[in-house]
Every structure is written in C-alpha cells, then in structure tokens.
Amino acid sequence: MTEAQSIAPNPYAIRNLRDRTRFWWEQPNSENQIANVDDQATREAALALRDDGIAVLEGFVSSALCDDINRDFMEFCSQNKTESDHWRLPTGFHPRLTNFHTYSAAAREALMSGQLTAVLDALFGEKTALCSSLYFEQSTEQPIHRDSPFFCSNPYGRFFGVWIALEDIRPQAGPLNYRPGGHKLDIDQVELALQNPDLDVGQLYGKYLQEIKQRCDDEGLPVSTVLPKKGDVAIWHPELPHGGGKILDGGGSRKSIVYHVMPETAPIYGIDIFFGRREVADSGLPLVDCSFGRKMLDQGSPAFAPNL
C-alpha cells in the first residue's frame, strides 16, 4: 500500500471547500444585478458563464501583442535550446510550457494590463491574481475534464480558466471542446473518495472524470467547440468540462496561452485537498508581485511538461 493509500479520507478535511460559494452572477434572481452592470463585456460574460459555463470576448487582445507572445516563446526556445530540442514532438512543435508568464512580459501584459482584468475583477467581485500559465503550440488532445481538482481554491470554485488565441484557430487543429451546462452538475468528490478508500488520488481523478462524462451524457449535454480568432479570449467556469480536440491530418499549430486566475483572497491547493486526503493546514503558496500592480503565485520558472 502506498503512502497516499494508507491515509484514510478525512470527511472534514475540506468541508469549508465543499460548499462552493456561488459567484454573484450565479445567485438566484441575479438577472437584475447582471442587467445593471454598466460594462457590456462584463454583462455578456456573466450571462454566458452562468448559462453555458464559458464566455468568449472577441478581439480583447491586440494582434501585435499576440505576435509578441509568440515571439517570446521562440526566443525562450532559442535561449534554452537543449531543453527545447529534448521536448520537441514528432510534429515539430512542443508540448505545453508552464509558467511562461514569468519569462514573457508580453504574456503578463495580455492578461493584466487593462480591460481583461477589469472584466475578471468584476466577475470575481474582487481583485484578480494569477495562479499559473500554459503556452501551447498545438492542441493537447486532452479528454474532457475539469480543472478544479488541480486548482482547489478556498472558498471552493473561485478561479477561472482564461484562454487567449494567439492565431486564428482552425477546426482541424484540435480546438477547445466543452460540454455546455456541465458546470452546473454537482459531483461530490469527497463522497467519491470515501466510497473508494483504497484508491490513490490519481485513480480517484480517473473515476471523477468517468463520473463527469456519465453525468454529461445522462443529461444529453452536447460537445461544443470554440473557434476563436486571433486575439479572442475565452473564460471558462471552474467546473466546466472541457478538453482539446483531436488534431486532424495537416492540422498544424494551435498557438494559444491559458492562464488560471483566482481572487487575491482565495488560496489554491492541489488534488489531495480536493479529494479530502489532506487537511487544509496552511494558507497556500505565497503571493508575490507580478506586473501592473497585480499579484501572482510563486510557481517557479518556465518548464516544458507533457500534454496530458
């Protein structure tokens, strides 16, 4: 038995996380509050996130800034040639590059410099901080999943995925797929862990994904696709089931960057906390200064990682 398996699930470990505090725009009878929002982009994003679990903001990042981010990635690869060559895929592209924002000033600017963070602040109802980033040259082809096990916030469910298209995304390049409305399906991960005490967190995550798919199928939720143009931004709900589409023959690149963001007041934990295998005994990773008066988690330097 592994160390993880020997630790009995603690049903009280994340009681303060389990009861997710709904965003203001998810509250019952929130229509009037949404309608009274002055900013049109925020108002439309709140409605889309509430109903579908995802909002697309068209043309929110300039084409020139997208080019700067892509240029910074190529510069990073040139400056780290040994590592870059090691991670190069048969397609000629690379897998995900984590924490790219710590290298690229353009990547920080795209998220933090103006109207995008203003929308995020309004959706959170408080100031936005950056948890992590991922730069992609091509689709991950990752199956439908939720991010919440790996970004387990306190209070629970207080983060967004923010995806910027750095080029026009073509259908054959493996675009972002999602199950609209799937963010509304409550799945008790603590109860799942209690029912399967012999499974480690990796195995529990597999069962959790199976449960998500089954629930989406039972509810008849379709698989929808996002095909953004260069500079468009997609924001998704923390519980939205989503993934990367399959790359078809000649699919080519799908250059994009994803940020995971949270309120400054909501610490982020990992999958062991999500499944109640460890008590919340600390305040999470410390926040440090980033750019434009914003904070970020200190997650270390950029590093390539496998596409899951």
Side-chain angles (χ1 to χ4, degrees):
M1 181 176 290
T2 67
E3 180 182 357
Q5 290 172 320
S6 67
I7 300 174
N10 182 346
Y12 304 103
I14 56 172
R15 292 297 176 184
N16 58 330
L17 299 177
R18 283 180 67 186
D19 300 324
R20 183 165 72 79
T21 303
R22 302 289 173 178
F23 293 105
W24 63 265
W25 36 267
E26 290 182 293
Q27 301 293 338
N29 304 315
S30 62
E31 287 82 2
N32 288 339
Q33 191 174 359
I34 296 173
N36 288 331
V37 173
D38 291 333
D39 180 66
Q40 180 179 350
T42 301
R43 188 169 61 248
E44 293 177 352
L47 287 169
L49 284 163
R50 184 194 67 182
D51 296 341
D52 294 332
I54 191 168
V56 177
L57 310 177
E58 295 182 355
F60 249 54
V61 178
S62 71
S63 177
L65 191 51
C66 291
D67 291 340
D68 288 343
I69 296 172
N70 289 327
R71 191 177 300 112
D72 283 351
F73 176 76
M74 298 306 296
E75 180 184 87
F76 176 86
C77 291
S78 177
Q79 293 179 358
N80 299 270
K81 189 174 186 305
T82 299
E83 181 183 11
S84 172
D85 289 347
H86 171 76
W87 282 96
R88 194 176 298 277
L89 301 169
T91 58
F93 300 121
H94 296 82
R96 63 184 70 194
L97 180 64
T98 66
N99 298 319
F100 182 54
H101 64 279
T102 63
Y103 176 87
S104 171
R108 296 192 297 274
E109 180 180 351
L111 176 70
M112 297 180 168
S113 64
Q115 60 178 349
L116 180 51
T117 40
V119 171
L120 294 170
D121 288 351
L123 292 171
F124 279 133
E126 54 185 305
K127 196 170 185 179
T128 302
L130 174 58
C131 176
S132 63
S133 69
L134 300 168
Y135 180 94
F136 299 102
E137 279 193 292
Q138 65 175 40
S139 173
T140 63
E141 301 185 301
Q142 187 174 359
I144 296 286
H145 63 283
R146 281 177 172 173
D147 291 336
S148 46
F150 302 100
F151 300 93
C152 185
S153 64
N154 185 10
Y156 179 65
R158 302 292 286 178
F159 79 93
F160 294 124
V162 181
W163 189 70
I164 300 176
L166 301 177
E167 62 180 349
D168 292 351
I169 306 302
R170 296 169 297 112
Q172 62 267 38
L176 177 70
N177 294 331
Y178 67 99
R179 308 294 292 263
H183 64 297
K184 300 177 183 179
L185 302 177
D186 288 328
I187 299 174
D188 191 334
Q189 74 273 14
V190 175
E191 184 62 30
L192 181 68
L194 289 169
Q195 293 174 358
N196 296 276
D198 294 330
L199 299 185
D200 62 30
V201 291
Q203 294 167 320
L204 282 172
Y205 180 62
K207 288 190 71 69
Y208 180 71
L209 295 186
Q210 292 172 7
E211 180 70 13
I212 292 170
K213 182 180 185 306
Q214 188 61 57
R215 291 286 303 280
C216 288
D217 290 345
D218 291 345
E219 294 292 328
L221 302 180
V223 176
S224 296
T225 297
V226 180
L227 289 172
K229 298 296 185 181
K230 185 178 184 180
D232 290 351
V233 178
I235 303 171
W236 62 75
H237 190 284
E239 301 279 59
L240 179 71
H242 65 281
K246 292 292 185 182
I247 302 171
L248 305 180
D249 289 344
S253 64
R254 196 202 70 177
K255 295 176 182 177
S256 58
I257 186 167
V258 170
Y259 308 88
H260 295 97
V261 301
M262 77 257 186
E264 285 188 358
T265 60
I268 296 287
Y269 303 93
I271 193 170
D272 52 347
I273 298 294
F274 179 79
F275 285 116
R277 290 290 173 87
R278 182 169 68 83
E279 292 189 65
V280 179
D282 56 52
S283 57
L285 291 173
L287 287 170
V288 298
D289 291 334
C290 187
S291 299
F292 302 95
R294 298 287 169 163
K295 300 285 187 180
M296 67 178 183
L297 292 183
D298 187 3
Q299 299 262 38
S301 301
F304 288 107
N307 287 332
L308 300 178

